Amino acid sequence: MTTADTPLREQLEFADTDTPLRDDVRRLGAMVGDMLAEQVSPAFLDQVEALRRIAIARREQGEPVDALAQRLAQVPLAQAEPLVRAFAAYFGATNIAERVHRIRRRRDYQRQGSAPQPGGLEAVLRELRDEGVTLDDLRRQLADLCVEPVFTAHPTEAVRRALLLKEKTVVERLMADMDGTRTPPERRADDARIRQSLTTAWQTNEAPPQRPSVADEIEHIGFYLGNVLYRVLPVFYEAFADAVEVVYGERIALPPVLRFGTWVGGDMDGNPNVGAASMRDALAAQRTQALGCYLADLRALGDILTQSQGHAEVDARIEARAAAHRALLPAGAVRSRPRLSDMPYRQLLWAMRARLQAAGEGGAGAYPDAAAFIDDLELIDASLADHRGEHAGRFALRRILWRARSFGFHMATLDLRQDSAVHDQALAALDGDADWAARPLPERIERLHAVIAGASPAVAQAEEAAATLDVFRTVHALRGSLGEHAFGPYIISMARSAADALAVLALARIAGCVAGGEVPLDVAPLFETVDDLEAAPATMRALFDDPAYRRHLATRGGRQVVMLGYSDSAKDGGVFASRWALQRAQVELVELARIAGVQIVFFHGRGGSVSRGGGKTGRAIVAAPRGSVAGRMRVTEQGEVIHRKYGIRALALRNLEQMTGAVLRASLRPRPPEPREADWRACAAELARIGRNHYRALVHDDPDFPAYFRMATPVDVIERLHISSRPSRRRDGGVANLRAIPWVFSWSQNRSGLTGWYGVGTALRHGIDAHGLDAMAAMARDWPFLAAMIDDVEMLMAKSDIAIFERYSRLAGDLHDAFFPRIAEEFARTRDAILAIKGRDALLADDYRLRLSIRLRNPYVDPISLLQVELLRRWREGGREDEALLRALVSTVNGISAGIQNTG
């Protein structure tokens, strides 16, 4: 081990393999310090360093938080925001250094060549081969493999595009010297560019002054789709093919296994800004981005495919295809240079570019769809393959082909989501019956069957249904030009009966959204609360037994998408009850689908925090119930998770490899049957009930808790943040109607993390008392479900700080004495139970890197938290009217979010 005496951390031990991380932390930390001295003053830097030393002493020497809190209480308002931004700049540097170090570790594995990196595709394929999976087995599974991350507009750490680009520059400069081969002048130039990025970032607001529009959110997601995923996708397939060849000794043709989805512009649930118009805008923006990417690729490919007649053979169809394209296009649309007429590939590529440009402009001769574009690429590929072109451009051509097959002209599948109550309101208007939703279920289903069969609505032009019907008309209009993959499933929030799914089919029929006589959409019920998850098997059984729905399902390949909500179920019953309800629902739905002859696809609505299903995705996939993966994984990526996983190309590639490898493992070699699992499930059901009761007694049953929540968290600041186009509430009311994201975000801001562990300690303690510590330890060791949950809770608790939370709690006045002791007691109970079950004396005793990561940030996050407490006090005492205080508070929210991560 080595010790770093750095501007970022004193007396902090690094493993020898992490010495480069220490060096990057030191290098960036020194630059941040120099930048602060220059941009503010040397005295300001001294103030930051003094506060950091107090924070370190408090952590390392067990000193009370009072000294740091008292020092921060004296900070004048004018200095508050610069202090917060200074601390955020330091751990922003740490974040970048850690991400670059992850890339370095991956390169070290690849360079050494002795063993593949754990979790990567080669490592997973080796394990599968050793467990008896043959190449034919793999081929069959690949034919039905689909991994689909879905990006949502739920930002809890909304990083501006301008700052993303500055971060990209810092990453690139650090990576340039990853092998230590830069010359002194080159390194000085790198430092100058890093310093420039750090300084201009300091001079840039972290967030725009206005709440983002849906168009802004579309652009934000577009950064990850176009700048990151578009670039790494062919590298993923090349790495996959290489891994198969290394492990099985044969290079095979891979089918497309990756797709990408988005909710931005299609998530109507509770957002009045989203509807038919935003759907058109989102898909138009994505189409423009896709066409622009292809145009750039074809331009570069033209510089490679310069083969001339007489020096290389070319398929005769190349020239014929180029001539056919020219005939379709207006005169002069295709670039024509006689001296290059002996280059047939270039001639076709110019014509293809002209057709792409026409597609973007809506002009004559445009490609009708992505399939026609792909057909041209495949023709060039075949010609190169047949005429010694393997090393004469085919590599570059195949990269574009992989992109076109995956992104099409739509870039990402657009999901649609709406609350079932909105559908009921539309149907009530169309049926001329205000009491539609109150009708008996059999009566509503009978009427829906009639509409699905072709009956006309009683009120053909109901104004209250116009917006809903326009959504379906837009789907019908856009599918033709963008292809069948342009739209993902139609998700029904608060789905509670078969009628909720049938309502989508009926409304689509009324709107004329049909193709070949059938509704061309997958209908996906979303089960969100614990009660809804428990009722999900009964709801889906009724759907599978419904003849109208079964006819629809047959047209969708017999495949049913079911979305599982992690957020609302945890807000409803606590994390233990939520995780168990999700586990049990999957087990029962898999069996139900097997009996019904339906293939079920689970769509996991996860967030970044533990209480919203966050954690290691690969481990969660392997821990899923047997048969629940079956070659398909669809999962939301939200908030700060998008930036963390997909902000850097190399890390995006690693994440996609890990996810795909986990899906392969869970599908081809699921866990063998475990004879103890029946007893474990019974125990988990018992513990989930106890945990839920304890959680609800605090959160839902105590009438004073909503008031305590609003005073002991910065939710009043979060509700004013300009980070999302969507309101923070579905409808007026207390905790129950608050969306899960601001709920979780608020508790992560005050450093308690309450939503991710409250009730778990009571449940585990009961398990120890009732079943014995050995039995609980065996469950946590041998049952992936419980092991993953305990690990996630342990991680969250290690990031929490109950002493700092107490400062927030005291903002609640008299309610502090009523609630803080209960919360602190449960925190201690949860920590002690986890340590006892794991047989450890400290949290994260087995995870050195995560401990290191948390310790690197604490000296900077702690002062921001305590400053937030002080600013909250001042702002509320002033009636929440001081805009300068609010701006400073917003900066603390952004800083804490970036520092602790896993926030929303």
Side-chain angles (χ1 to χ4, degrees), residues 41 64 111 113 217 244 265 373 432 514 608 650 669 690 800:
S41 71
R111 185 183 294 110
E217 293 172 341
V244 173
F373 175 58
V514 293
R669 283 294 181 270
I690 289 167
S800 301

Side-chain angles (χ1 to χ4, degrees), residues 731-750:
R731 51 189 70 89
D732 292 337
V735 170
N737 289 323
L738 185 71
R739 288 193 179 277
I741 292 170
W743 164 252
V744 174
F745 199 16
S746 298
W747 289 106
S748 65
Q749 282 284 308
N750 70 11

Side-chain angles (χ1 to χ4, degrees), residues 28 44 262 400 653 756:
L28 293 179
F44 176 74
T262 173
I400 304 173
L653 176 62

